[in-house]
Amino acid sequence: MTSQVSSPAEQAEPADQQGGPGSAGERRTPDGGKEIRRLDRVIIRFAGDSGDGMQLTGDRFTSETASFGNDLSTLPNFPAEIRAPAGTLPGVSSFQLHFADHDILTPGDAPDVLVAMNPAALKANLGDVPRGAEIIVNTDEFTKRPMAKVGYETSPLEDGSLDGYSVHPVPLTTLTIEALKDFGLSRKEAERSKNMFALGLLSWMYHRPTEGTETFLRQKFAKKPEIAEANVAAFRAGWNFGETTEDFAVSYEVAPATTAFPAGTYRNISGNLALSYGLIAASRQADLPLFLGSYPITPASDILHELSRHKNFGVRTFQAEDEIAGIGAALGAAFGGALAVTTTSGPGVALKSETIGLAVSLELPLLIVDIQRGGPSTGLPTKTEQADLLQAMYGRNGEAPVPIVAPRTPADCFDATLDAARIALAYRTPVFLLSDGYLANGSEPWRIPEIDDLPDLRVQFATGPNHVQADGTEVFWPYKRDPETLARPWAVPGTPGLEHRIGGIEKQDGTGNISYDPANHDHMVRTRQAKVDGVRVPDLEVDDPTGDARTLVLGWGSTYGPITAAVRRVRGAGDRIAQAHLRHLNPFPANLGKVLEDYDKVVVPEMNLGQLATLIRARYLVDARSFNQVNGMPFKAEQLAAALKEAIDD
């Protein structure tokens, strides 16, 4: 017997609206066993101590969900400390996953299910959990000392404070140790597998595939097969516990999102992984070796780790002793004819600023990948923010314009990277690629593109003289420009006859000789600005279904998901609102001014204190209204919808 699946028109709420999981039917197993309910979406949050393996647990559940065919969005959230004090609130690590049978855009505002591995995890996350939600609690950790660490004077499992929730007390640690008693492990070693027990239980509850996780565990612990089999046994024990215990009378099904995706081959991908693949694809499409000069910094380090695995694609990775050396090596590689990249976060951008200015002066292609995080200074290394926009725009001495590209979703990091490479190579300029921690660590389904659909990024290196002097002598001018792009020729060092000066002192137009002439400097400054202003970017597309909305919400970067989810809510309530999202922040799309003029009100949500709004106000003299958040977390759709509704009604 199969369950009834509702059509999109029959669903109780618009897609991506987080008001609890939407039920779409129920059935019982053929033998009259436990009830199975059909849901259209679910938000699960795994939470525990930093050593409890919550990121691995969430990642495995996500991978199986992706293979099942659901649309999904994730939000990993973990401390900056390598190992925060065990059992404390600062040490709580969590992983939230929103998956559905339809198109979704965010990891969800509030979890429908919270898995709390200890008192700290419960206390840190309970404020986000709506009444009526399910809470699975590891009761073994709710003893006097762990509870005292987080300020519980009495057990919340016994004092009535959780009466408004559907609480499932499960002795996860005890059950895991019992399941592994025949493996000869110490108690401490056995306890480490309790996250796999929890994963098995949740996999049973939501009918997730299991083969992939078992294969993953055996591969991960291939050198320690006894540990691999212990984890597999804990995983299976969790599944069996859900099947047999009376406490879990219901399991749930979320059907694949068959109508959410165009036909193609898909995989789950994080923003940093998509960006890494984008760099490799750009290198191949440009027929250039890829060179990464980088210094490890959260949350950008994963790109260095990933690219170091791909020497077979001609990728060279250089882990430098500091940020300055990293970008210096990258700029040297650009001079040598490579597709050069440096990866960092906000503090590293500050250190790289002088070399970025040098790249502007030398007019060489260079990708500066900034995975933004909370600042200033060290700030919040593992939390997200969008506060580097003005630094990318102006954070160099002198007039040093640099194009800026910003992806909007984890999967979009691939396409945005190709776009940034296109600009860098075609216009011979450094380019900023502004991602952030939310995109970097979050994941979603990604349609693997066909090779033939990727852009042709091949460039022509200078091969000989390009200028004839008055006396008829043919010479090479390193700053003689393409009349369309204003790009200078790219001459690979060692090419006979193409020797030219290099360095940061101002160049004479054309010849590249050192020049202190005021008129020449004025000309060069204006020319470099004109080159960036002339970068070809697509017109801004506006989503305005009725064509008569009077309020426009304008975003950039990772706010796309929450903004779009909020816009759906506002429209679902009967209000009219238009939406536009910027990928290119320097130069702006040519039609941006006209778009802004078409609306009475412009709202700009940002995870900063109004940096894009400042630029919009200055450039277009538009009274852009900021809606800002700088708490290290992405916007919630509900709060954005309320702000947009207020703007419409104002």
Side-chain angles (χ1 to χ4, degrees):
M1 179 178 179
T2 58
S3 57
Q4 181 71 31
V5 181
S6 65
S7 68
E10 295 169 333
Q11 292 171 3
E13 296 176 298
D16 214 63
Q17 186 156 314
Q18 291 87 39
S23 178
E26 62 183 57
R27 62 185 172 93
R28 289 189 179 272
T29 57
D31 60 0
K34 293 186 176 183
E35 178 185 340
I36 300 174
R37 292 180 186 170
R38 174 67 63 83
L39 305 176
D40 60 8
R41 68 183 181 283
V42 176
I43 303 166
I44 298 175
R45 184 181 298 179
F46 298 93
D49 196 66
S50 292
D52 286 337
M54 293 297 94
Q55 301 305 316
L56 175 62
T57 305
D59 184 67
R60 287 313 314 159
F61 195 95
T62 299
S63 295
E64 298 298 353
T65 296
S67 69
F68 188 71
N70 296 120
D71 195 10
L72 61 89
S73 179
T74 69
L75 178 62
N77 187 18
F78 43 87
E81 289 79 11
I82 294 174
R83 188 66 175 90
T88 64
L89 293 175
V92 173
S93 174
S94 68
F95 189 105
Q96 183 162 305
L97 165 68
H98 182 192
F99 61 103
D101 65 3
H102 55 268
D103 172 40
I104 58 172
L105 297 155
T106 76
D109 286 0
D112 305 309
V113 182
L114 171 65
V115 180
M117 303 295 282
N118 60 16
L122 177 65
K123 189 164 190 176
N125 291 280
L126 188 59
D128 293 336
V129 182
R131 294 283 175 169
E134 293 190 84
I135 301 177
I136 300 172
V137 180
N138 180 15
T139 56
D140 288 326
E141 293 295 322
F142 280 75
T143 57
K144 187 173 181 180
R145 185 178 179 187
M147 289 191 296
K149 279 187 178 182
V150 296
Y152 281 131
E153 296 181 1
T154 60
S155 173
L157 306 181
E158 300 172 356
D159 63 9
S161 59
L162 300 180
D163 286 350
Y165 306 92
S166 177
V167 179
H168 301 279
V170 181
L172 287 172
T173 306
T174 299
L175 291 171
T176 302
I177 293 172
E178 177 65 21
L180 303 184
K181 64 182 180 180
D182 295 333
F183 283 83
L185 302 175
S186 68
R187 179 183 177 88
K188 186 175 182 180
E189 289 173 329
E191 283 183 7
R192 291 174 180 165
S193 297
K194 63 181 181 289
N195 64 323
M196 289 298 104
F197 189 100
L199 178 60
L201 173 58
L202 268 293
S203 297
W204 172 83
M205 284 182 65
Y206 291 96
H207 297 255
R208 299 296 91 185
T210 61
E211 295 82 1
T213 292
E214 293 189 10
T215 300
F216 168 82
L217 290 170
R218 291 190 172 101
Q219 291 175 345
K220 180 178 177 63
F221 298 106
K223 295 182 179 179
K224 297 181 178 180
E226 69 282 0
I227 299 298
E229 292 309 314
N231 277 281
V232 170
F235 177 68
R236 290 177 175 176
W239 177 283
N240 293 333
F241 178 77
E243 182 71 30
T244 58
T245 184
E246 293 298 321
D247 192 43
F248 292 90
V250 179
S251 64
Y252 305 93
E253 289 182 346
V254 180
T258 54
T259 61
F261 308 114
T265 303
Y266 287 79
R267 59 157 294 165
N268 181 49
I269 200 164
S270 69
N272 272 353
L273 184 57
L275 199 154
S276 300
Y277 287 175
L279 290 172
I280 296 171
S283 167
R284 304 295 286 184
Q285 293 302 106
D287 196 21
L288 297 174
L290 178 64
F291 180 91
L292 173 67
S294 183
Y295 178 77
I297 184 172
T298 303
S301 299
D302 286 343
I303 302 171
L304 172 61
H305 300 159
E306 181 61 33
L307 289 180
S308 68
R309 300 185 177 103
H310 296 287
K311 298 180 180 66
N312 56 310
F313 286 116
V315 179
R316 296 181 181 179
T317 52
F318 170 59
Q319 181 174 319
E321 66 270 25
D322 56 41
E323 295 280 6
I324 299 171
I327 190 173
L331 185 57
F335 179 59
L339 176 59
V341 185
T342 189
T343 52
T344 189
S345 187
V349 173
L351 293 168
K352 297 177 188 289
S353 62
E354 183 177 7
T355 308
I356 297 172
L358 176 60
V360 172
S361 175
L362 299 182
E363 300 187 46
L364 288 171
L366 174 67
L367 293 183
I368 306 116
V369 178
D370 178 6
I371 313 297
Q372 300 167 95
R373 72 189 204 194
S377 189
T378 304
L380 305 173
T382 60
K383 309 301 180 184
T384 194
E385 206 163 273
Q386 287 183 297
D388 294 347
L389 176 55
L390 293 183
Q391 179 178 219
M393 185 75 77
Y394 299 120
R396 294 162 295 283
N397 67 296
E399 296 289 343
V402 174
I404 302 172
V405 178
R408 64 186 189 178
T409 69
D412 187 50
C413 288
F414 179 86
D415 294 321
T417 300
L418 286 168
D419 199 13
R422 170 190 68 86
I423 295 170
L425 294 171
Y427 294 88
R428 311 286 197 269
T429 178
V431 176
F432 263 103
L433 184 61
L434 289 185
S435 179
D436 61 41
Y438 172 36
L439 296 183
N441 297 316
S443 62
E444 66 176 348
W446 172 57
R447 183 175 181 268
I448 300 173
E450 298 292 334
I451 298 298
D452 292 343
D453 293 336
L454 298 179
D456 184 352
L457 301 179
R458 287 174 294 182
V459 298
Q460 294 294 324
F461 290 110
T463 58
N466 61 358
H467 182 75
V468 180
Q469 295 184 345
D471 62 1
T473 305
E474 293 186 344
V475 296
F476 174 66
W477 274 14
Y479 284 83
K480 185 166 185 175
R481 302 180 182 280
D482 182 294
E484 182 177 346
T485 64
L486 298 183
R488 79 176 187 90
W490 194 0
V492 176
T495 305
L498 303 190
E499 299 85 355
H500 58 280
R501 290 179 177 82
I502 203 77
I505 297 177
E506 184 63 281
K507 317 293 187 299
Q508 185 181 55
D509 184 34
T511 69
N513 296 331
I514 292 174
S515 173
Y516 297 99
D517 178 64
N520 178 77
H521 176 60
D522 183 274
H523 172 74
M524 292 295 281
V525 166
R526 295 180 186 276
T527 300
R528 287 188 288 261
Q529 183 65 59
K531 179 170 68 171
V532 172
D533 291 342
V535 170
R536 288 187 178 180
V537 301
D539 278 349
L540 182 64
E541 296 182 359
V542 181
D543 176 22
D544 186 358
T546 63
D548 59 356
R550 304 316 312 150
T551 301
L552 170 72
V553 55
L554 179 68
W556 70 279
S558 67
T559 57
Y560 173 78
I563 288 175
T564 306
V567 165
R568 288 180 179 179
R569 289 190 176 202
V570 170
R571 290 174 180 167
D575 289 296
R576 297 173 181 176
I577 190 168
Q579 177 187 359
H581 207 79
L582 289 166
R583 168 178 281 180
H584 299 95
L585 297 154
N586 193 31
F588 285 130
N591 69 330
L592 176 56
K594 177 63 171 61
V595 167
L596 296 172
E597 290 176 0
D598 288 342
Y599 295 92
D600 298 334
K601 303 170 187 175
V602 177
V603 182
V604 185
E606 299 180 79
M607 293 187 294
N608 57 47
L609 295 183
Q611 297 188 16
L612 175 60
T614 297
L615 295 174
I616 293 296
R617 283 169 168 264
R619 178 74 61 86
Y620 301 104
L621 303 180
V622 170
D623 185 21
R625 305 183 183 190
S626 287
F627 183 74
N628 309 118
Q629 174 177 293
V630 283
N631 62 5
M633 297 293 287
F635 283 112
K636 292 183 177 180
E638 182 180 6
Q639 68 180 132
L640 264 181
L644 297 180
K645 173 65 173 173
E646 182 179 345
I648 292 171
D649 294 341
D650 185 8

